[in-house]
Amino acid sequence: EKGGYEHFMLKEIHEQPEALRRFLVGRLNDESVHLEELNLNPEEIKSYSRIFIVACGTAYHSGLVGKYVIEKLVRIPVEVDIASEFRYRQPLIDESTLVIVVSQSGETADTLAALREAQGRGAKVVAITNVVGSTIAREADEVMYLRVGPEIAVASTKAYTAMVMAFYLFALYLGQIRGTLDTEEIQKAIAALKQIPEQVKWIIENTESEIQKLAEQFTKHENAFFIGRSVDYTVSMEGSLKLKEISYIHAEAYAAGELKHGTLALITNGVPVIALVTQESVYEKMLSNVQEVRAREAWVIAVALEGDEEIKKSAENVLYIPQTMELFTSVLAIIPLQLLAYYVARLRGCDVDQPRNLAKSVTVE
Ligand code: M6R
């Protein structure tokens, strides 16, 4: 059942190229995005004044990517909330608010409660989920399925990358209908999206053995930091959660610009810092953050775009991902971090697929 892999998590990481390809089938052609499955009429789509994205854990992190992408491409304000916070804070929503709940399992108690809270306040709820027939799928007004197949490992991998793809597509769809994107921009974005499954495959093939070596050095550490700017910051959070969850190494994610406001005090000789450096618009800023931590003798592992030679001067190790549109790097940049978490946890003898204290589906709050 593990298809020759030692753990479900590794199998699911390797399934991503195929899973993402399946996710895209029928949802786009060269010219436009097709999400008629959502049954949202154009007038309604034009009427949204605000979007809320509500979820837990890894699904919440996908929502953070969603915020960057939707705000940039569609220019609608997006708020992302943790379901257990949203449900108790009397959220300010009305009929012109679209609420998107994200849940791989479709059974997470807090996310389900958030969905009901939103509907009770008159909002339409779109669910992004993997499990057909799940409670969230049944109760939501509209559903977009991830189609990645069963995810068994507690640590979510292929569901996360598909959720991120769902937000890319959804943002393009809204932009297409609301007219914030012209045909040329949409075509360019679609061309980039179509390459993603192949690019994910490339990353696995080209980084896995290097990551296995890095993992040997990594296992002896008890603390790690993940830093990034813009969408890289959201990927940092997901990378950090993955590492904590399965290897039990304490990890924190920081917006790189925040380091000076406290965390830099913890950066000392040899401390691992995973720096995401894929955002061209803030490249120079990020580079100087990397130099700052290097100056404190941190061990910097960078995730950077292919062709970036500059970063090698400041980072001891560089894991490359292929070039894509700036907004779409998150689905690629997370792959090496999933692999790193996996190999570190395995070397530490952890129960990778079933980490202590955690359940795959959190049906109690
Ligand atoms: O099934 P869901 O997507 O609603 O689950 C949400 C979280 O419990 C889940 O993503 C959790 O954070 C993962 N174990 C992270 O890998």
Side-chain angles (χ1 to χ4, degrees):
E1 49 177 20
K2 290 183 194 146
Y5 291 97
E6 194 179 336
H7 296 100
F8 282 110
M9 183 181 176
L10 190 61
K11 173 173 179 266
E12 290 160 6
I13 290 173
H14 278 258
E15 279 171 355
Q16 287 177 112
E18 194 43 43
L20 298 182
R21 204 168 287 128
R22 219 167 33 236
F23 172 83
L24 288 175
V25 170
R27 288 172 164 159
L28 42 73
N29 57 29
D30 290 343
E31 314 287 311
S32 52
V33 173
H34 291 279
L35 291 180
E36 287 74 22
E37 64 194 281
L38 287 177
N39 256 314
L40 300 170
N41 77 55
E43 284 322 302
E44 182 186 342
I45 289 179
K46 287 181 192 153
S47 75
Y48 303 142
S49 60
R50 221 146 77 96
I51 295 178
F52 258 101
I53 302 171
V54 188
C56 303
T58 285
Y60 167 74
H61 294 153
S62 79
L64 296 173
V65 177
K67 175 184 167 77
Y68 274 97
V69 180
I70 296 170
E71 289 191 343
K72 183 84 192 285
L73 300 180
V74 199
R75 312 302 295 162
I76 301 180
V78 179
E79 199 164 332
V80 193
D81 217 343
I82 291 171
S84 56
E85 291 297 315
F86 177 90
R87 64 181 289 196
Y88 294 119
R89 77 176 171 104
Q90 302 181 315
L92 292 168
I93 47 183
D94 58 26
E95 291 79 8
S96 73
T97 313
L98 174 70
V99 175
I100 305 176
V101 297
V102 193
S103 173
Q104 185 283 132
S105 62
E107 301 296 346
T108 301
D110 282 319
T111 311
L112 176 60
L115 174 159
R116 291 174 177 161
E117 174 72 26
Q119 283 175 334
R121 288 173 187 271
K124 174 160 260 186
V125 178
V126 167
I128 298 176
T129 183
N130 193 33
V131 181
V132 178
S134 58
T135 313
I136 287 175
R138 282 186 277 114
E139 294 200 15
D141 298 287
E142 304 298 336
V143 186
M144 180 160 35
Y145 287 107
L146 300 174
R147 304 181 186 157
V148 298
E151 192 183 64
I152 311 290
V154 164
S156 184
T157 54
K158 60 180 180 175
Y160 169 79
T161 45
M163 287 166 184
V164 168
M165 290 289 267
F167 280 114
Y168 295 164
L169 272 194
F170 190 68
L172 290 175
Y173 188 60
L174 294 190
Q176 191 174 285
I177 291 171
R178 290 172 64 112
T180 54
L181 297 172
D182 62 31
T183 324
E184 205 178 309
E185 287 168 311
I186 291 173
Q187 286 172 352
K188 198 174 150 232
I190 287 177
L193 281 187
K194 282 185 165 173
Q195 289 188 334
I196 283 176
E198 203 46 49
Q199 291 177 321
V200 168
K201 189 160 174 248
W202 185 95
I203 296 168
I204 297 173
E205 285 170 1
N206 287 278
T207 62
E208 192 164 16
S209 59
E210 191 180 345
I211 290 170
Q212 276 176 274
K213 278 188 228 121
L214 284 180
E216 281 168 29
Q217 208 180 327
F218 213 100
T219 47
K220 57 179 192 286
H221 291 275
E222 288 306 326
N223 290 288
F225 294 88
F226 289 74
I227 58 172
R229 286 175 179 257
S230 183
V231 286
D232 277 346
Y233 171 43
T234 71
V235 178
S236 308
M237 289 188 233
E238 174 57 9
S240 155
L241 176 63
K242 242 21 11 136
L243 184 70
K244 278 190 264 223
E245 180 175 29
I246 59 168
S247 78
Y248 315 145
I249 291 175
H250 170 235
E252 287 196 58
Y254 271 89
E258 275 288 293
L259 281 174
K260 279 199 180 73
H261 302 281
T263 314
L264 205 49
L266 295 174
I267 308 294
T268 53
N269 189 8
V271 171
V273 176
I274 292 95
L276 288 117
V277 198
T278 76
Q279 296 296 292
E280 285 164 78
S281 55
V282 285
Y283 182 81
E284 295 302 326
K285 301 276 167 207
M286 192 57 210
L287 196 62
S288 69
N289 293 130
V290 170
Q291 286 157 357
E292 257 160 31
V293 296
R294 266 307 292 151
R296 272 95 195 159
E297 295 178 351
W299 170 27
V300 180
I301 302 171
V303 176
L305 294 175
E306 237 193 323
D308 181 354
E309 293 298 320
E310 184 66 29
I311 192 70
K312 285 189 184 157
K313 296 183 197 150
S314 318
E316 266 131 308
N317 301 94
V318 183
L319 300 167
Y320 284 110
I321 62 166
Q323 304 262 356
T324 181
M325 276 176 55
E326 185 170 22
L327 274 178
F328 295 164
T329 56
S330 31
V331 70
L332 302 180
I334 193 61
I335 308 291
L337 307 187
Q338 295 172 342
L339 287 166
L340 182 68
Y342 172 77
Y343 282 109
V344 171
R346 200 181 78 163
L347 281 173
R348 286 167 68 103
C350 300
D351 187 348
V352 174
D353 284 337
Q354 289 199 295
R356 66 186 179 208
N357 310 338
L358 301 177
K360 181 64 183 163
S361 160
V362 184
T363 52
V364 290
E365 64 173 297

